[in-house]
Amino acid sequence: MKRFYYLLLLLFVAGGVASCEKDYQPQRQPAPEPEVQMSAEERAMLGLWTRSVESEGYYGAIYGAMRQDAELRLYEEGRGQMLQEFYTDGVLSSWSRGALSYRIEDGILYIGGPHGEDVIAWNYTLLGDTLTLTTDSEGEVIKWSFTRTEDADDRLVGCWDAATVDASGNRVERHYKFATPTYGDVYEMVYDQRGVCIDTRFLYDFRYTISGDRIQFKKLVGGTDGVIFNKYFRLEGTKLYLRDKANGEEVMYSNFYEENGLPFRP
């Protein structure tokens, strides 16, 4: 059982910031992606699936009420995203998130890491809005049930960056990566005056919701209920303008991927 959860966490561990890095050299435009042929069975699996399970048990040496929340998103082209959050007595204990790959063969759903590694085979049933996955781990049957869920506002999905110059003359880019309509992360990349990346600083994971022109961020911090703060935004094409107050000064962030015709693959 412990090995199964180790593999599961390995699949969905945060993918870091490499997927959002970019080179300041001119980018070649990618060839058009081939049209994906999907069966009706595969198309029925697309979208957002969620689950929340409560129990009692130990987290490390602490005994308490446990809750596991999960968001599973399956996209076309055999790719997806998953977020798992673990709570003890209502307080966030840990979380994991990241990209995944999947395929359906002979009635079996295979889910692995983003490059097809560490694959786990799942038997599945899809009845209405319920997706049930089962697998065998060291002789023990694991069963997970997900519910089809309408996804949130996806206007901000993408990677947005703005640059400043520090006291040493280095270019510092802050990136807001909205990986899905509900969560993402913030990080910085530092480039010297030659344009060489000399440092990458991960800042935090977050959840977010959009209400009007306001984004409510919930910074994921273990041992807390999360740190909540707001930003106000204005979206114009490939530019995202953020401000700390409703009438505050705007900072412009650019969507590099959309501006260069590149697919966003968080």
Side-chain angles (χ1 to χ4, degrees):
M1 184 69 170
K2 290 183 178 179
R3 177 179 175 273
F4 172 78
Y5 281 106
Y6 169 76
L7 287 174
L8 205 57
L9 289 171
L10 191 64
L11 291 182
F12 306 130
V13 68
V17 299
S19 64
C20 205
E21 289 185 23
K22 65 174 183 281
D23 188 337
Y24 285 106
Q25 301 302 316
Q27 300 288 324
R28 290 185 299 176
Q29 297 301 309
E33 295 185 1
E35 183 178 349
V36 178
Q37 300 296 324
M38 301 186 69
S39 66
E41 178 184 38
E42 291 171 323
R43 289 199 174 278
M45 303 280 283
L46 299 180
L48 170 61
W49 302 88
T50 61
R51 72 188 300 266
S52 183
V53 177
E54 296 184 359
S55 62
E56 291 189 355
Y58 283 95
Y59 180 79
I62 302 175
Y63 185 89
M66 313 289 291
R67 190 178 90 241
Q68 179 197 13
D69 294 341
E71 294 182 6
L72 171 64
R73 288 177 173 84
L74 299 179
Y75 305 131
E76 294 184 357
E77 303 163 358
R79 62 186 184 87
Q81 289 280 327
M82 186 164 184
L83 167 71
Q84 295 186 93
E85 296 171 303
F86 301 90
Y87 294 84
T88 304
D89 292 332
V91 176
L92 183 65
S93 304
S94 64
W95 66 94
S96 63
R97 67 174 183 84
L100 59 87
S101 61
Y102 74 95
R103 70 182 190 278
I104 299 175
E105 291 182 1
D106 299 323
I108 303 295
L109 175 63
Y110 296 91
I111 299 179
H115 305 294
E117 68 274 24
D118 301 313
V119 174
I120 296 176
W122 299 85
N123 293 298
Y124 75 92
T125 58
L126 180 58
L127 295 175
D129 290 332
T130 300
L131 172 64
T132 302
L133 305 180
T134 58
T135 192
D136 185 284
S137 176
E138 299 179 344
E140 182 175 359
V141 175
I142 307 301
K143 182 177 180 179
W144 282 13
S145 292
F146 291 84
T147 300
R148 186 185 297 280
T149 305
E150 183 178 355
D151 217 335
D153 190 329
D154 65 355
R155 282 178 291 167
L156 299 182
V157 171
C159 192
W160 310 81
D161 67 82
T164 58
V165 177
D166 66 14
S168 300
N170 297 321
R171 176 186 175 97
V172 181
E173 281 194 354
R174 173 162 292 198
H175 295 250
Y176 281 84
K177 183 169 69 175
F178 295 87
T180 76
T182 58
Y183 62 83
D185 60 80
V186 181
Y187 66 94
E188 292 180 340
M189 299 185 68
V190 182
Y191 294 83
D192 65 18
Q193 296 179 30
R194 298 169 298 166
V196 176
C197 183
I198 58 175
D199 192 16
T200 300
R201 302 190 287 246
F202 177 80
L203 302 182
Y204 55 86
D205 287 312
F206 63 80
R207 277 189 162 279
Y208 74 100
T209 57
I210 298 173
S211 178
D213 66 345
R214 179 172 61 93
I215 309 170
Q216 182 181 85
F217 289 88
K218 181 179 180 182
K219 186 186 301 186
L220 300 184
V221 179
T224 74
D225 292 329
V227 178
I228 294 176
F229 62 95
N230 296 315
K231 284 187 178 291
Y232 295 83
F233 78 98
R234 180 168 59 90
L235 189 60
E236 290 188 357
T238 62
K239 304 299 182 183
L240 172 64
Y241 299 85
L242 294 179
R243 56 194 189 278
D244 294 330
K245 299 179 181 179
N247 58 351
E249 182 178 354
E250 290 184 327
V251 177
M252 184 184 73
Y253 290 78
S254 297
N255 188 325
F256 172 83
Y257 287 86
E258 189 171 345
E259 290 179 346
N260 288 272
L262 301 171
F264 178 60
R265 297 288 186 265

